[in-house]
Amino acid sequence: MRKVERAAFILDKLNEIYPAPPIPLLHNNNFELLISVLLSAQCTDERVNRVTPILFSEANTPFKMRKMKLEKIYNIIRPCGLAPQKSKAIHNLSGMLVNNFDGEVPQNF
């Protein structure tokens, strides 16, 4: 069995066993999910779910997020750890989404 066939077999089995796996990160749209996933690195989902309502009450779209001051993003997400890098990543990612994808999270790679 080649790698491609093996990958397809595994994907089919996973879809069979877990047809609709729950997403533990709270979100209302694809942008919020993307930011939550970014924050979840080296952090528990529980902590991300405590921080993101505060962050998303300030900015729940890439347009609003890129206008937010980096320091404000940093102060909100600090409990998740790695806040200096993550706050820059959130700000830069929001700018990329606005500039390259009209503010929409692409549905594919």
Side-chain angles (χ1 to χ4, degrees), residues 17 20 26 31-34 42 47 51 63-64 83 87 105:
I17 296 168
L26 303 177
F31 175 70
E32 289 183 3
L33 179 58
L34 179 61
Q42 302 296 310
R47 182 160 297 160
V51 167
F63 297 99
K64 293 176 185 176
S87 57
V105 176

Side-chain angles (χ1 to χ4, degrees), residues 38-58:
L38 189 154
L39 288 172
S40 70
Q42 302 296 310
C43 184
T44 65
D45 292 343
E46 180 184 338
R47 182 160 297 160
V48 170
N49 286 338
R50 277 192 258 140
V51 167
T52 52
I54 300 164
L55 181 64
F56 298 146
S57 72
E58 295 285 332

Side-chain angles (χ1 to χ4, degrees), residues 39-109:
L39 288 172
S40 70
Q42 302 296 310
C43 184
T44 65
D45 292 343
E46 180 184 338
R47 182 160 297 160
V48 170
N49 286 338
R50 277 192 258 140
V51 167
T52 52
I54 300 164
L55 181 64
F56 298 146
S57 72
E58 295 285 332
N60 64 345
T61 69
F63 297 99
K64 293 176 185 176
M65 192 69 75
R66 83 169 179 170
K67 290 181 182 177
M68 246 178 111
K69 298 248 185 250
L70 203 55
E71 184 178 342
K72 188 166 190 169
I73 296 170
Y74 171 85
N75 287 329
I76 293 171
I77 68 166
R78 190 175 4 174
C80 288
L82 305 173
Q85 297 87 357
K86 288 180 182 180
S87 57
K88 288 178 194 170
I90 290 169
H91 195 264
N92 292 338
L93 176 59
S94 298
M96 287 171 53
L97 290 172
V98 168
N99 295 331
N100 301 332
F101 301 100
D102 298 320
E104 296 293 322
V105 176
Q107 296 300 309
N108 58 39
F109 286 110

